[in-house]
């Protein structure tokens, strides 16, 4: 049953969160929840509070659509992605407003997301023509052997709120371009920009009904959807972006179903500044890498290691820059530090900073909440036993540590259980590459900060930061089955 559509952010939005079989539908239970702005607290709309029954309907719709979509001509699939890219690009101003309203995303990072999403769609268009196999040599005379990639079927995508447009796009576009169908579960904090918006754009671009389905849920009820997707025999792959504790629980449950996962999880991303680095550039890179989107990006620098000769001046300049960053309304183009996503996140940030301070840490900048914002905060002298030094703290808080050498900094960085991204700022790029090879992470940027992504790059971490890789250049390895096929051009002689 279609429902009325409210207006907020950049325009009219579907009221219901579910998009199943090409239709906007309410939850089967009739339940809804309020989607609130993290900046103003205003109710943006009522969203379907789905459950396992809704997820099963979405999976069934995706399964039914798979046969025709997987057999569609590559040109037909390509047209959808090219049209979608044009539509999204033409509505950038609207989408920027949507991201600010729903997730508190300021102009800087919202533009990063929309640019990424447009490039993702255009690059995915060529993926429809990717060779699907190769001929293999065989030692059996008269046998021709092939390795053929085939789409797996229904892919489930579970995505977070923090880069809602980019991360949901990354989760669905590669699988779709390869001929799979998708059930997308966005975060309860971003049901539109992480879900409904993609359904709108791709449907308008010509994506057939049932190829992409969206199921939403109320706060605290994600497991109702996730457990159903994990248990369904029709779901062949799951990709998840989110915290390590949640990813670990998903992996444990998926193991019981022998279901393959792609996991991109938490990070405690180091940024290393060597003694020969350009100090001004290092400060600029660190400010951007630590505080873009108020530190709510999985790649943000969480710990900065500075070689001792530069440390005192770096800390002074970096702290001054952090203290001067404009905070407030994410709709204001000048805002750098907007609101954190909710009151729970704000309280967690403050508790961890207070605990570190009580254990002897020094607050160089920030450290005093201004609800719904938390200011850009710089800490030094943080003891290892502090909670903020051990896990991922998702917000505008960064630790600066003095290192006696770059090698000591690498050793300290490698002591973390996480291994997502890292960066090295140095005056000697060759030394930077040498240090990069020593870092136990999935991504290293030399003479850049760690917040980088491109649609075709292999994005993912090691250790407790996940397994598998996102990226269009590697999507076939994750979202296709590889089948060995042989054919003989003559009868074979058998020994009995």
């Amino acid at each position: 049953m279609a429902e009325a559509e409210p207006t907020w952010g950049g325009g009219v939005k579907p009221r219901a969160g579910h998009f199943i079989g090409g239709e906007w539908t309410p939850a089967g239970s009739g339940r809804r929840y309020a989607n609130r702005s993290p900046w103003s607290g205003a109710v943006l709309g009522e969203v379907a509070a789905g459950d396992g029954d809704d997820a099963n309907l979405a999976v069934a719709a995706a399964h039914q659509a798979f046969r025709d979509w997987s057999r569609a001509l590559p040109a037909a699939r390509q047209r959808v992605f090219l049209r979608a890219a044009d539509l999204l690009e033409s509505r950038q101003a609207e989408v920027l407003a949507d991201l600010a309203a729903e997730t508190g995303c300021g102009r800087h990072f919202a533009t990063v997301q929309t640019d990424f999403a447009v490039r993702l769609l255009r690059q995915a268009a060529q993926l429809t023509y990717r060779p699907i196999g190769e001929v293999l040599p065989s030692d059996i005379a008269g046998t021709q052997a092939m390795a053929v990639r085939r789409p797996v079927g229904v892919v489930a995508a579970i995505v977070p709120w923090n880069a809602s447009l980019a991360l949901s796009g990354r989760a669905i576009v590669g699988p779709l371009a390869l001929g799979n169908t998708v059930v997308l579960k966005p975060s309860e904090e971003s049901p539109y920009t992480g879900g409904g918006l993609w359904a709108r754009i791709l449907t308008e671009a010509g994506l057939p009904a049932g190829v992409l389905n969206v199921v939403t849920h109320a706060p605290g009820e994600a497991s109702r959807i996730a457990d159903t997707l994990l248990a369904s025999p029709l779901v062949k792959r799951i990709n998840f972006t989110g915290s390590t504790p949640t990813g670990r629980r998903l992996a444990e449950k998926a193991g019981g179903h022998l279901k393959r996962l792609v996991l991109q999880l938490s990070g405690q991303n180091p940024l290393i500044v060597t003694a020969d680095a350009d100090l001004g550039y290092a400060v600029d890179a660190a400010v951007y890498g630590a505080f873009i989107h108020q530190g709510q990006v999985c790649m943000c620098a969480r710990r900065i290691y500075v070689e001792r000769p530069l440390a005192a001046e770096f800390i002074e300049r970096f702290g001054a820059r952090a203290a001067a960053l404009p905070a407030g309304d994410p709709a204001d183009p000048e805002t750098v530090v907007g609101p954190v996503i909710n009151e729970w996140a704000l309280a967690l940030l403050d508790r961890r900073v207070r605990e570190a301070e009580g254990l002897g840490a020094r607050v160089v900048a920030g450290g005093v909440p201004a609800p719904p914002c938390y200011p850009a905060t710089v800490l030094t002298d943080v003891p290892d036993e502090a909670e903020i030094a051990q896990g991922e703290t998702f917000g505008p808080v960064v630790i600066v540590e003095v290192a006696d050498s770059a090698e000591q900094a690498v050793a300290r960085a490698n002591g973390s259980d996480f291994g997502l991204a890292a960066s090295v700022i140095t005056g000697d790029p060759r030394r930077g590459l040498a240090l990069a090879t020593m870092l136990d992470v999935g991504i290293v940027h030399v003479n850049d900060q760690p917040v980088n992504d491109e649609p075709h790059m292999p994005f993912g971490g090691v250790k407790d930061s996940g397994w598998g890789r996102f990226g269009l250049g590697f999507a076939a390895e994750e979202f296709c089955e590889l089948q060995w096929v042989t054919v003989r051009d003559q009868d074979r002689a058998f020994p009995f």
Side-chain angles (χ1 to χ4, degrees):
M1 180 179 68
E3 299 196 351
E5 298 180 340
T7 300
W8 54 266
V12 176
K13 310 296 178 292
R15 189 177 189 89
H18 294 345
F19 185 75
I20 299 175
E23 298 288 339
W24 297 103
T25 63
S29 66
R31 297 171 59 241
R32 296 174 175 169
Y33 75 95
N35 182 21
R36 294 184 180 274
S37 162
W39 169 247
S40 68
V43 175
L44 304 176
E46 298 291 322
V47 180
D51 56 22
D53 291 339
D54 298 307
N56 277 324
L57 289 174
V59 170
H63 179 67
Q64 183 176 1
F66 172 66
R67 181 180 182 276
D68 289 345
W69 178 245
S70 64
R71 297 182 182 185
L73 294 176
R77 296 204 304 269
Q78 183 183 67
R79 278 194 295 271
V80 171
F81 298 112
L82 292 176
R83 288 171 181 163
D86 291 342
L87 287 168
L88 187 58
E89 188 171 51
S90 71
R91 297 173 187 173
Q92 184 180 45
E94 173 187 333
V95 176
L96 294 178
D98 293 338
L99 288 165
E102 188 172 60
T103 66
C105 187
R107 180 64 55 90
H108 305 287
F109 191 59
T111 301
V112 168
Q113 289 196 67
T114 55
D115 289 348
F116 175 88
V118 170
R119 286 185 285 119
L120 173 73
L121 288 162
R122 291 194 172 128
Q123 291 186 32
Q126 59 81 29
L127 195 61
T128 66
Y129 284 96
R130 178 180 176 137
I132 61 172
E134 58 182 316
V135 177
L136 305 174
S138 172
D139 284 329
I140 302 175
T143 294
Q144 182 178 355
M146 295 165 282
V148 181
R149 292 193 183 276
R150 306 188 306 176
V152 298
V154 179
V155 174
I158 302 174
V159 297
W161 53 266
N162 60 302
S164 54
L165 180 71
L167 295 182
S168 55
R170 184 184 72 175
I172 67 174
V173 170
L176 289 173
L178 291 166
N180 299 289
T181 56
V182 174
V183 176
L184 171 62
K185 188 208 79 63
S187 166
E188 67 272 25
E189 304 283 3
S190 55
Y192 181 69
T193 56
L197 173 58
W198 279 108
R200 260 186 121 187
I201 290 288
L202 287 166
T203 299
E204 191 172 338
L207 191 72
V211 175
L212 173 64
N213 305 272
V214 180
V215 182
T216 55
H217 60 87
E221 298 181 2
S223 62
R224 295 186 178 191
I225 310 297
D227 288 350
T228 300
L229 297 174
L230 282 164
S232 172
L234 298 180
V235 175
K236 304 303 182 182
R237 293 285 193 280
I238 294 179
N239 70 71
F240 169 78
T241 300
S243 72
T244 293
T246 301
R248 182 173 283 113
R249 288 194 295 271
L250 287 173
E252 290 169 352
K253 291 179 179 179
H257 301 285
L258 294 180
K259 190 160 295 184
R260 280 178 55 181
L261 297 173
V262 180
L263 299 174
Q264 192 249 289
L265 308 175
S266 305
Q268 200 187 43
N269 314 302
L271 187 158
I272 297 172
V273 181
T274 64
D276 61 354
D278 180 303
L279 182 60
Y281 178 73
V283 169
D284 289 345
V287 168
Y288 181 92
F291 301 122
I292 186 170
H293 193 31
Q294 44 275 15
Q296 297 176 131
V297 182
C298 61
M299 299 167 279
C300 276
R302 307 294 179 197
R303 300 192 73 143
I304 301 174
Y305 300 93
V306 188
E307 281 197 276
R308 192 169 297 280
L310 285 186
E313 190 172 358
F314 177 90
I315 292 170
E316 181 181 355
R317 288 199 200 180
F318 182 59
R321 284 285 307 281
L325 292 176
D329 187 349
D332 183 342
E334 299 303 314
T335 294
V336 174
V337 180
V340 295
I341 192 63
N342 54 39
E343 293 178 355
W344 178 87
L346 186 70
L348 179 63
L349 284 168
D350 193 47
R351 179 177 66 76
R352 287 183 173 176
V353 170
R354 297 282 78 77
E355 184 219 29
E357 195 174 15
L359 291 171
R362 180 167 69 96
V363 179
V364 177
V368 179
C373 299
Y374 199 88
T377 297
V378 179
L379 304 176
T380 62
D381 304 322
V382 177
D384 288 343
E385 63 267 26
E387 188 177 353
I388 203 167
Q390 297 173 13
E392 180 182 52
T393 297
F394 221 57
V397 181
V398 65
I399 297 169
V400 181
E401 183 174 327
V402 180
D404 290 324
S405 68
E407 290 73 19
Q408 183 191 57
V410 168
R412 290 282 293 164
N414 286 345
S416 171
D417 291 334
F418 301 111
L420 181 56
S423 63
V424 180
I425 308 293
T426 177
D428 182 353
R430 291 183 66 85
R431 185 186 183 210
L433 285 172
L435 293 171
T437 65
M438 298 163 59
L439 285 159
D440 295 335
V441 295
I443 305 163
V444 186
H445 302 290
V446 176
N447 283 336
D448 201 349
Q449 47 72 48
V451 184
N452 286 284
D453 199 4
E454 295 185 61
H456 59 293
M457 295 297 181
F459 192 100
V462 299
K463 300 192 288 189
D464 285 0
S465 291
W467 64 58
R469 292 294 181 268
F470 287 94
L472 294 176
F474 306 86
E477 298 173 16
E478 305 290 357
F479 303 110
C480 288
E481 297 287 9
L482 189 61
Q483 185 180 50
W484 175 31
V485 179
T486 68
V487 59
R488 291 188 55 79
D489 54 20
Q490 63 189 48
D491 291 345
R492 182 176 177 180
F494 300 101
F496 56 84

